[in-house]
């Protein structure tokens, strides 16, 4: 049966005294024989029972029992069963044991969002009442079977079949503010209380509004990254790089990871570019993280492996440049100061992204090089931070040609060895003659069994010499007759 409103008001009049003294806790009026001060119902207590932090014990003599209203105490202070007012104490012969706690309230740790149950076990409760209170909030939660608080997540039950009569306080969907000390109290004359602690743990949560987002910074500047996280216990913040490379706090301090709400990097370089992970953990799963991308801007720079490249005539040749730039640069090739070179039957332009992504490999392939392809080529890189270019010089080499006569061959070699470089034939023949490697020519001559300085005679020269010799042999008799006649005439010899 529900209590009249004025009875509930009387039941909720409690006193809170200093912590640490069990007799100065919140004290509920004790109810004996179903009525207090003429009131009816479970909590028909008058205000005089709540006028002090302790219920005043009546004076007793050395023997017998003393009655004070509905409360009857024996000479040793034990509560005895009392009758109605004005009942002689001599008629009281039944001793009632005071209620006692039989077990401690267990301390409980529970994640937020779960349900929790706290138990308070009492024996010899009799007509006394059990109440639950939140000590830190000084709030009465339940009294007996009634929920006093307006919190809909709070309820109370008790086990009627348990001789200890355990009273359970239920809290559904636990919130972080529910943590603290919970007090179970029996409304004896001197109130009996015990405490249990509810610890509510909350997994970490990173607050994006208070943490850094992706950042772009010029190379050489200083940066500060922030990460704020909530949770219970307070989360620990650690920083790592997404690619597991080391973090350069400054040029003299390089670490694998950094602990703290703030990560500061001095004079950042392009090597520090990448994603950084802010990891928050407090032992309550799950661990959470936030990914912050750091971009470092710098003007383009070029690396040219070979600035002078030679290629034989008729072959394909590839020239290359390596660029570094952020933001990504616009990369292209030109022929000297000419227009941009595009893919065609003559040229093949290639570009590939390296590691890290701010590196690019540029390649230009020139197909079937000839005399018109030698000269200067430029690789160019542009981005919003600047522009740069590099020069590569290409020269074309030509294979040696065969001489048509011995005279051309000997004089060609003389021209190579002498101070005057004299060539025969057209300009291309001259360039081919002087473009060849002399050491290779000499080694070829030596391979034929001749000395390095010997001239090379061709098969056509040998045939001409043979023809001259045959002609001289054919004319020899005629020449001898002519010589003989002239000698005889001049000497007037009879022998002629």
């Amino acid at each position: 049966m529900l209590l009249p409103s004025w009875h509930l008001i009387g039941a909720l009049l409690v006193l809170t005294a200093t912590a640490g003294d069990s007799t100065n806790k919140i004290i509920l009026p004790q109810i004996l024989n179903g009525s207090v001060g003429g009131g009816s119902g479970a909590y028909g207590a008058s205000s005089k029972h709540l006028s002090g932090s302790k219920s005043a014990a009546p004076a007793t003599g050395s023997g017998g029992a003393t009655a004070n209203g509905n409360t009857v105490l024996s000479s040793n202070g034990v509560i005895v069963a009392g009758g109605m007012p004005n009942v002689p104490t001599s008629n009281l012969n039944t001793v009632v044991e005071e209620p006692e706690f039989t077990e401690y309230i267990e301390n409980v740790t529970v994640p937020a969002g779960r349900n929790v149950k706290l138990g308070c076990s009492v024996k010899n409760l009799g007509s006394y009442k059990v109440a639950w209170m939140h000590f830190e909030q000084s709030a009465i939660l339940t009294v007996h079977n009634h929920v006093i608080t307006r919190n809909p997540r709070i309820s109370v039950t008790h086990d009627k079949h348990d001789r200890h009569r355990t009273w359970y306080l239920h809290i559904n969907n636990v919130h972080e503010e529910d943590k603290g000390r919970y007090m179970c109290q029996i409304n004896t004359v001197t109130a009996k209380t015990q405490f249990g602690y509810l610890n509510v743990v909350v997994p970490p949560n990173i607050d994006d509004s208070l943490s850094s987002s992706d950042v772009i910074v010029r190379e050489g500047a200083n940066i500060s990254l922030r990460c704020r996280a909530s949770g219970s216990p307070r989360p620990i913040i650690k920083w790592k790089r997404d690619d597991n490379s080391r973090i350069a706090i400054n040029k003299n301090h390089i670490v694998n990871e950094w602990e703290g709400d703030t990560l500061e990097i001095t004079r950042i370089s392009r090597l520090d570019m990448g994603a950084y992970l802010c990891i928050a953990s407090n032992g309550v799963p799950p661990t959470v993280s936030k990914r912050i991308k750091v971009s470092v801007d710098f003007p383009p720079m070029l690396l040219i492996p070979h600035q002078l490249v030679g290629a034989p005539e008729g072959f394909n040749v590839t020239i290359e440049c390596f660029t570094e730039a952020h933001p990504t640069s616009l990369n292209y090739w030109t022929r000297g100061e000419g227009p941009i070179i595009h893919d065609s039957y003559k040229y093949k332009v290639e570009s590939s992204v390296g590691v890290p992504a701010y590196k690019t490999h540029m390649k230009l392939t020139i197909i079937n090089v000839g005399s018109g392809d030698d000269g200067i080529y430029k690789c160019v890189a542009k981005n919003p931070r600047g522009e740069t270019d590099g020069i590569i010089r290409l020269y074309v080499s030509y294979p040696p040609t065969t001489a048509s006569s011995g005279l051309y061959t000997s004089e060609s070699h003389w021209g190579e060895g002498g101070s005057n470089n004299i060539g025969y034939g057209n300009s291309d023949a001259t360039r081919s003659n002087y473009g060849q490697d002399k050491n290779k020519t000499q080694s070829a001559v030596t391979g034929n069994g001749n000395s390095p300085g010997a001239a090379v005679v061709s098969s056509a020269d040998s045939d001409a010499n043979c023809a001259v010799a045959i002609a001289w042999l054919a004319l020899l008799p005629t020449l001898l007759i002519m010589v003989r006649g002239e000698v005889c005439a001049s000497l007037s010899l009879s022998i002629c």
Side-chain angles (χ1 to χ4, degrees):
M1 180 178 67
L2 296 177
L3 300 177
S5 60
W6 64 272
H7 287 167
L8 287 177
I9 294 173
L12 295 178
L13 292 175
V14 294
L15 297 176
T16 304
T18 58
D21 182 358
S22 62
T23 63
N24 289 331
K25 304 304 180 187
I26 300 174
I27 299 175
L28 298 178
Q30 63 175 342
I31 310 300
L32 294 179
N33 299 325
S35 64
V36 176
S40 62
Y43 284 89
S46 63
S47 60
K48 67 180 181 180
H49 289 89
L50 304 173
S51 59
S53 60
K54 298 182 180 178
S55 297
T60 61
S62 60
T66 302
N68 181 9
N70 287 339
T71 303
V72 180
L73 299 178
S74 65
S75 60
N76 59 2
V78 177
I79 299 176
V80 296
M84 297 301 293
N86 302 321
V87 175
T89 59
S90 59
N91 294 335
L92 300 176
N93 54 9
T94 302
V95 177
V96 178
E97 295 184 9
E98 284 196 347
E100 295 179 359
F101 296 112
T102 59
E103 297 178 7
Y104 292 106
I105 301 174
E106 293 184 357
N107 296 330
V108 178
T109 299
V110 61
R114 302 285 183 86
N115 300 335
V116 68
K117 180 174 70 173
L118 301 176
C120 180
S121 298
V122 181
K123 71 176 181 178
N124 303 325
L125 184 61
S127 60
Y128 292 97
K129 310 301 176 185
V130 172
W132 280 100
M133 305 157 200
H134 193 298
F135 187 77
E136 279 77 13
Q137 297 179 3
S138 299
I140 301 175
L141 304 178
T142 67
V143 176
H144 198 56
N145 290 322
H146 303 282
V147 177
I148 306 302
T149 180
R150 294 183 178 180
N151 188 341
R153 298 182 292 108
I154 300 293
S155 60
V156 62
T157 61
H158 71 281
D159 188 352
K160 297 179 180 179
H161 303 289
D162 182 4
R163 63 177 184 172
H164 293 164
R165 301 197 66 176
T166 303
W167 295 79
Y168 294 104
L169 177 68
H170 300 267
I171 308 175
N172 295 328
N173 187 21
V174 173
H175 295 174
E176 187 176 2
E177 57 267 22
D178 294 329
K179 69 179 179 180
R181 285 183 293 175
Y182 285 79
M183 182 170 65
C184 176
Q185 186 179 83
I186 307 172
N187 65 330
T188 53
V189 174
T190 301
K192 294 184 177 182
T193 61
Q194 68 172 349
F195 294 89
Y197 191 84
L198 173 62
N199 182 32
V200 180
V201 294
V202 181
N205 178 61
I206 296 176
D207 190 341
D208 287 336
S209 64
L210 300 177
S211 303
S212 298
S213 55
D214 293 348
V215 60
I216 300 175
V217 63
R218 289 292 297 266
E219 189 171 33
N222 301 334
I223 67 167
S224 179
L225 303 180
R226 300 182 312 277
C227 188
R228 301 290 184 266
S230 60
S232 181
R234 182 179 178 182
I236 296 174
I237 305 296
K238 290 186 178 180
W239 296 87
K240 289 186 176 181
R241 294 189 67 170
D242 195 17
D243 58 0
N244 289 324
S245 57
R246 305 184 73 189
I247 301 175
I249 303 301
N250 54 54
K251 64 179 182 180
N252 298 321
H253 191 191
I254 301 176
V255 297
N256 292 321
E257 64 179 29
W258 181 261
E259 183 174 323
D261 293 352
T262 304
L263 172 65
E264 295 184 352
I265 300 178
T266 303
R267 296 187 62 80
I268 194 168
S269 77
R270 67 194 67 182
L271 300 177
D272 302 319
M273 189 186 317
Y276 289 76
L277 297 178
C278 155
I279 304 171
S281 62
N282 63 352
V284 182
T287 297
V288 295
S289 64
K290 177 181 175 66
R291 189 174 186 268
I292 302 174
K293 184 178 179 181
V294 177
S295 301
V296 180
D297 284 359
F298 56 93
M301 62 172 292
L302 288 173
L303 172 64
I304 302 176
H306 307 288
Q307 290 184 298
L308 183 61
V309 177
E313 184 181 23
F315 285 80
N316 299 341
V317 62
T318 299
I319 57 179
E320 56 185 355
C321 287
F322 292 90
T323 70
E324 294 183 13
H326 194 273
T328 303
S329 57
L330 172 65
N331 304 319
Y332 58 90
W333 293 90
T334 65
R335 178 80 184 274
E337 299 298 330
I340 297 176
I341 297 175
H342 299 284
D343 276 339
S344 64
Y345 72 94
K346 186 65 177 179
Y347 301 107
K348 181 181 180 182
V349 180
E350 298 175 276
S351 183
S352 59
V353 178
V355 178
Y358 58 78
K359 293 185 176 182
T360 303
H361 185 191
M362 301 172 58
K363 292 193 293 184
L364 174 64
T365 300
I366 305 168
I367 301 170
N368 190 21
V369 296
S371 59
D373 296 322
D374 53 3
I376 293 176
Y377 292 81
K378 292 174 66 175
C379 54
V380 184
K382 293 181 179 181
N383 78 351
R385 299 299 183 186
E387 174 184 354
T388 188
D389 60 60
I391 294 177
I392 299 175
R393 182 179 295 275
L394 173 68
Y395 67 92
V396 181
S397 59
Y398 304 90
T401 58
T402 302
S404 60
S405 65
L407 180 63
Y408 171 79
T409 300
S410 62
E411 290 194 353
S412 296
H413 282 277
W414 173 85
E416 291 181 9
S419 59
N420 297 321
N421 293 325
I422 300 175
Y424 293 90
N426 57 29
S427 58
D428 289 339
T430 305
R431 293 179 62 181
S432 299
N433 199 14
Y434 294 143
Q436 60 186 340
D437 192 330
K438 295 182 180 180
N439 293 329
K440 291 183 180 179
T441 303
Q442 291 177 357
S443 62
V445 173
T446 305
N448 291 330
N450 299 319
S451 63
V456 179
V457 180
S458 64
S459 59
D461 295 338
S462 298
D463 293 342
N465 292 336
C466 290
V468 171
I470 291 172
W472 277 105
L473 290 175
L475 294 174
L476 183 59
T478 305
L479 292 174
L480 290 176
I481 293 172
M482 292 176 61
V483 170
R484 178 181 177 185
E486 289 186 4
V487 171
C488 291
S490 59
L491 296 177
S492 299
L493 294 178
S494 59
I495 191 172
C496 294

